[in-house]
Amino acid sequence: MIFDTASPPQGTVRDWLDARAESDDVAIIFPETQEHLSWRDLRDTARDMARGLVGLGILQGESVAIVHPNGRPGVLALYAALYGGFRATMINLAAGPDAIGYALEHSAARFAFVHETQLETIAMVAPDGLQTITSRMLTAHAALAPLSPTHHALLMYTSGTTGRPKGVVHTHASLLAGGWTTAIAHDLSPTDRGFCVLPIYHINGLCVTMMGALVSGGSLAMAPRFSTTRFWDQAGAAEITWFSVVPTIISHLLHHDANPSAALQARLRFGRSASSALAVETQSAFESRFGVPIVETMGLTETAAQILSNPLPPGIRKIGSPGIAYGNQVRILTADLQPAPPMQEGEIAVRGPNVMQEYLRNPEATADTFAGDWLRTGDLGHIDDDGYVFVTGRLKELIIKGGENIAPREIDEVLYSQPDVIEAAAFARPCKSYGERVEAAVSVKPGSTLSAGTLIDLCKARLGPFKSPDKVHFLDELPKGPSGKIQRLKLADLIGD
């Protein structure tokens, strides 16, 4: 299989893994354990495990749950499920027992790969009949069935900030296309090595880094989790050329005293930011201090990660925009789901080969999220004359004060401009006078003497009194989902009255 920048990948994950296994090139290294997997070892082990899954009587297209953090066993479990033609069902370890139990039941998985650290949780929440797979159970090998690009490949549950999580279904075609959009946007090649510190049970970690490497023929360094203190040392030792993180990680690195080595700075082509908006001040300060260009992007679980990206240097990166479409099409929809005029704000919609097939067993939600063949993202924004998208907020996160829509991101940007602020998020609070009022939560550098009054005054000076928060709450850490994205909608309940 050959990486083609002009058209999406053909075939299946099995086909691509077979093609990569024609060489002994390194696929993944694990800095903390010093283990590594070549593409050939990865394919051979995944194929043997897949045949063992068939021997257990698991049917093609059936869900196989994967309850693993980043690491060699989790990678092998994922590729075994994909290679065998099963629906790899990634369980979000950060979701909590109730959500984990719901995902296992809703997916109808009869078998699960479970990491030893998760056995106790699974024992508490697993539906009746779920069996934990052990190596002894995979010894009766059976033949694999033929596999097509339209077969189900991945089931991943959304974070479920409102209501029950929805199960996003990707086929082999859309999953590979997710890696392809990343590869073409970032000009990935076999000489590139990415750094995966985001969990592979999230779409960014799985598609951007893992599928991006599979499609481009590059390699990965994979850490079990992000570590502020070890990030640069691990990246240098692994000789990475790029990394994919989220804005909170960029902010934490910026506020820590560790620095990349000169050799790493010379090797690093770019860092990639996704999952939520990156504050302008944070991006500028990071690039100035570390000398590493940050490429802001945007993606969704429903689109196998990336839909937008800024071009690599020396292309034009528009600070404050997640960029232009690569490998798919993006448009703005009006409230009645019609194409919006140029520069008008509306809902961002996308169509392309990386778009999901459906929400599992939820035809109503599937129908609601599509306008024709355009997937509605739930994000608000506009497109400028150069095709760059500017995101102004989330439909569900808008603060409606006295009938006026206030985008929380406007307030976030001002709060992040204060150097002591590490994390910030504005949110709505019910109000008898205006319907909703503005409040905000921040975490700050240790030892900071920053006051709520100072931040409120800063907002008033930049935004005016109406849009400024009435209160600013100081937290040790803001609540985040598995990708590191701040969960704004949880703040009001977390903080209380």
Side-chain angles (χ1 to χ4, degrees):
M1 311 299 290
I2 298 174
F3 172 44
D4 182 0
T5 59
S7 59
Q10 303 300 305
T12 67
V13 172
R14 182 191 295 174
D15 296 328
W16 281 82
L17 195 52
D18 281 341
R20 294 290 171 240
E22 291 176 3
S23 78
D24 279 321
D25 291 345
V26 171
I28 307 176
I29 64 174
F30 304 92
E32 290 206 351
T33 63
Q34 304 300 310
E35 296 174 290
H36 76 276
L37 279 169
S38 69
W39 284 113
R40 181 169 295 159
D41 289 341
L42 176 54
R43 191 280 309 274
D44 290 351
T45 305
R47 182 177 58 190
D48 286 347
M49 292 171 65
R51 289 170 174 167
L53 294 173
V54 177
L56 287 176
I58 305 176
L59 304 176
Q60 187 175 71
E62 186 177 350
S63 283
V64 174
I66 299 167
V67 193
H68 271 266
N70 287 10
R72 188 176 187 273
V75 167
L76 291 172
L78 170 61
Y79 269 113
L82 293 173
Y83 196 94
F86 310 110
R87 188 196 293 132
T89 301
M90 306 303 292
I91 301 300
N92 177 356
L93 306 186
D98 288 348
I100 290 174
Y102 173 79
L104 291 171
E105 182 175 6
H106 183 263
S107 69
R110 296 185 296 131
F111 294 88
F113 289 101
V114 183
H115 191 264
E116 58 184 10
T117 59
Q118 304 300 315
L119 289 171
E120 185 176 344
T121 297
I122 296 303
M124 290 190 299
V125 302
D128 292 342
L130 182 74
Q131 295 186 57
T132 297
I133 299 169
T134 65
S135 58
R136 295 177 184 176
M137 297 170 65
L138 300 179
T139 55
H141 291 179
L144 299 175
L147 193 56
S148 79
T150 58
H151 278 123
H152 285 193
L154 178 71
L155 175 60
M156 186 173 283
Y157 285 82
T158 58
S159 57
T161 53
T162 57
R164 285 292 196 181
K166 296 189 289 290
V168 175
V169 175
H170 280 287
T171 64
H172 282 260
S174 63
L175 188 61
L176 288 168
W180 174 72
T181 59
T182 301
I184 60 173
H186 303 327
D187 195 23
L188 298 182
S189 76
T191 62
D192 278 304
R193 175 167 292 167
F195 192 17
C196 181
V197 296
L198 300 177
I200 61 172
Y201 53 76
H202 182 264
I203 202 69
N204 190 320
L206 194 152
C207 270
V208 169
T209 50
M210 290 191 68
M211 291 298 109
L214 177 66
V215 171
S216 68
S219 60
L220 291 180
M222 179 179 290
R225 66 190 64 83
F226 166 70
S227 167
T228 307
T229 57
R230 297 195 298 273
F231 181 87
W232 292 121
D233 287 342
Q234 290 175 334
E239 299 184 335
I240 69 164
T241 63
W242 67 283
F243 60 81
S244 180
V245 292
V246 295
T248 51
I249 288 178
I250 291 173
S251 185
H252 280 280
L253 290 172
L254 179 61
H255 289 89
H256 194 268
D257 56 8
N259 292 294
S261 66
L264 176 59
Q265 284 180 307
R267 186 185 306 111
L268 264 178
R269 294 203 295 123
F270 65 95
R272 181 184 184 281
S273 177
S275 293
S276 60
L278 177 62
V280 173
E281 288 81 3
T282 303
Q283 180 171 355
S284 299
F286 187 96
E287 293 185 356
S288 177
R289 174 180 168 186
F290 298 122
V292 179
I294 294 294
V295 176
E296 188 173 4
T297 68
M298 178 181 173
L300 296 83
T301 304
E302 288 86 345
T303 59
Q306 184 174 287
I307 59 173
L308 301 168
S309 176
N310 275 273
L312 293 172
I316 296 173
R317 290 178 296 140
K318 293 196 176 184
I319 305 297
S321 167
I324 59 178
Y326 282 91
N328 45 222
Q329 297 172 288
V330 174
R331 70 163 37 163
I332 304 298
L333 299 178
T334 62
D336 58 357
L337 304 183
Q338 297 302 308
M343 293 300 293
Q344 179 174 312
E345 183 183 80
E347 184 177 5
I348 301 168
V350 60
R351 70 178 179 187
N354 54 324
V355 171
M356 71 171 188
Q357 184 179 80
E358 63 180 344
Y359 291 121
L360 186 68
R361 290 199 289 278
N362 197 338
E364 295 83 5
T366 302
D368 287 345
T369 204
F370 280 96
D373 56 353
W374 290 88
L375 182 132
R376 302 170 57 194
T377 68
D379 290 285
L380 296 171
H382 67 269
I383 302 176
D384 72 7
D385 292 337
D386 298 320
Y388 286 74
V389 177
F390 287 81
V391 182
T392 54
R394 290 281 297 169
L395 282 171
K396 294 178 181 178
E397 293 180 350
L398 279 176
I399 302 169
I400 306 175
K401 180 179 179 181
E404 181 176 340
N405 292 344
I406 300 174
R409 181 178 175 178
E410 285 186 88
I411 303 155
D412 297 353
E413 292 277 359
V414 175
L415 295 170
Y416 274 115
S417 71
Q418 221 297 331
D420 281 3
V421 172
I422 298 175
E423 298 175 354
F427 61 95
R429 178 82 77 179
C431 172
K432 292 181 180 179
S433 299
Y434 292 100
E436 290 182 336
R437 67 176 185 267
V438 182
E439 295 190 8
V442 298
S443 68
V444 298
K445 293 171 62 175
S448 172
T449 59
L450 194 62
S451 69
T454 299
L455 290 173
I456 292 172
D457 289 344
L458 178 65
C459 290
K460 287 180 178 178
R462 296 268 294 271
L463 302 171
F466 188 78
K467 290 185 177 181
S468 297
D470 295 319
K471 294 182 180 179
V472 174
H473 306 271
F474 288 80
L475 304 177
D476 292 336
E477 186 177 6
L478 274 59
K480 291 181 282 293
S483 69
K485 183 177 181 178
I486 293 172
Q487 296 181 312
R488 194 185 306 272
L489 297 178
K490 291 186 175 182
L491 284 167
D493 290 339
L494 176 68
I495 294 170
D497 296 331

